[in-house]
Amino acid sequence: MFNWFKKHRKKNASYDTNEEWIQALKPPVDEQAVEQLRAQLIRGLKPALYKYVDRELDQFVEDVAQDALLKVLDNIDSFRGNSKLLTWAMKIAVREGLTELRLKRYDDISIEDLKPDDESREVFSLSIASDGTSPDRAVHESQLVEKVLHIINEELTDKQKQAINALMIQGLPMPAVVKQLDTNRNALYKLVYDARKKIKNRLDVEGIDPNEMLNKL
C-alpha cells in the first residue's frame, strides 16, 4: 500500500470537495489525504459499530478502516459523485465492518464438523418449499429433499459436500465458506457449479426434473 504514497501536499492541506479528494486519492496518492480519510473513517466507525463489538473496539475499528481504505483506493474510479466522497467511503467502511462481524460468528465453526441434522434438513426443506404448499405437495417436496441429500452423499467429493452443506443446507454466508475452505470466491463458485451439475445429471438419470430442485438451490 505504501507504494501509493508518492505525492505530498503542504502541511494541513484540506480536501473540501469531491474533486479535491479524487485528485488526492488517485495514483500517485497523496499520503496526507489518505491519513485524513483514515482518521475520518475511524471517527465514524466507532459510533456505528460499538454496540456490535464486545471488546477491543479500537483495534477492530482500525483494522476495518485500513481494509476499507484499501477498497476506497482500489475503487476510486468507480465513484460517480452522487454523494460526498466521505459519505461514500464511510458506507464502504461500515459495510466492511458489518461483514467482518458476521464472519466472526463463524470463526469457531468448522465446516468439516457440520452435518445435515434434523433441524438443518427442516430449514432446507422450508427454503425450497413452494408457496401455498398442499399436504400432498409437501410430502412430494420432502421426498425430493431426501433424494437430493442422498445424491449429495453418493455423488459429490468431500469438498463439494462441505461446500453444498455449508452454503445451501446450513445457510452459511459465502465469505465464511471461502475462509473456512481456504479458497477464493471464484474457486468456490466453480466447486458449487460442478456439484450442481453432478446432482442434475443424477436426477436426470432417475427421471426427476432437475429444474424443480436446482432452480431453488
Side-chain angles (χ1 to χ4, degrees):
M1 175 178 176
F2 290 98
N3 290 333
W4 288 76
F5 298 160
K6 298 178 182 178
K7 183 167 57 181
H8 300 274
R9 288 192 175 189
K10 294 179 181 179
K11 190 175 182 180
N12 299 324
S14 62
Y15 310 89
D16 299 321
T17 67
N18 286 344
E19 291 73 20
E20 288 177 321
W21 274 113
I22 292 171
Q23 182 182 3
L25 296 176
K26 282 188 174 183
V29 172
D30 182 339
E31 180 177 0
Q32 186 171 320
V34 171
E35 288 304 318
Q36 284 196 25
L37 179 56
R38 182 175 178 275
Q40 294 267 18
L41 294 179
I42 290 173
R43 191 177 303 119
L45 282 169
K46 285 185 178 181
L49 300 178
Y50 81 93
K51 60 183 177 181
Y52 305 112
V53 181
D54 296 331
R55 51 196 173 89
E56 298 182 349
L57 174 64
D58 288 346
Q59 185 59 55
F60 179 75
V61 165
E62 287 186 12
D63 291 343
V64 170
Q66 186 72 11
D67 291 341
L69 187 57
L70 290 173
K71 285 197 172 183
V72 169
L73 293 176
D74 286 342
N75 294 281
I76 191 66
D77 288 334
S78 69
F79 177 63
R80 295 292 177 260
N82 296 326
S83 62
K84 289 185 177 181
L85 186 134
L86 287 177
T87 302
W88 174 73
M90 184 57 64
K91 286 181 179 179
I92 291 175
V94 171
R95 187 163 59 244
E96 188 76 11
L98 293 176
T99 297
E100 185 62 27
L101 286 169
R102 283 196 294 269
L103 291 179
K104 282 183 177 296
R105 292 172 51 197
Y106 301 98
D107 280 349
D108 297 328
I109 296 176
S110 172
I111 284 180
E112 294 181 357
D113 296 333
L114 288 175
K115 305 297 181 185
D117 54 17
D118 290 341
E119 182 178 355
S120 63
R121 286 168 185 255
E122 182 178 358
V123 171
F124 181 52
S125 298
L126 290 172
S127 70
I128 66 169
S130 304
D131 294 335
T133 301
S134 67
D136 288 343
R137 180 67 181 176
V139 171
H140 175 66
E141 290 180 343
S142 178
Q143 291 172 342
L144 283 178
V145 168
E146 290 302 318
K147 174 62 69 175
V148 169
L149 292 174
H150 182 69
I151 292 172
I152 287 172
N153 187 56
E154 284 196 342
E155 298 289 339
L156 304 190
T157 67
D158 287 342
K159 201 159 189 177
Q160 287 172 337
K161 289 177 187 176
Q162 290 173 0
I164 293 292
N165 179 45
L167 288 169
M168 300 177 181
I169 300 176
Q170 305 292 343
L172 271 65
M174 180 166 286
V177 180
V178 167
K179 184 177 179 180
Q180 284 271 348
L181 292 181
D182 191 24
T183 184
N184 58 64
R185 189 176 288 266
N186 288 337
L188 182 57
Y189 276 132
K190 179 65 164 57
L191 190 70
V192 172
Y193 173 82
D194 290 343
R196 284 166 54 91
K197 188 174 181 180
K198 287 183 179 180
I199 297 171
K200 179 181 183 298
N201 290 341
R202 176 70 177 270
L203 289 171
D204 274 335
V205 168
E206 299 198 13
I208 301 171
D209 180 7
N211 293 325
E212 186 173 5
M213 289 294 299
L214 295 183
N215 284 345
K216 299 179 182 182
L217 294 183

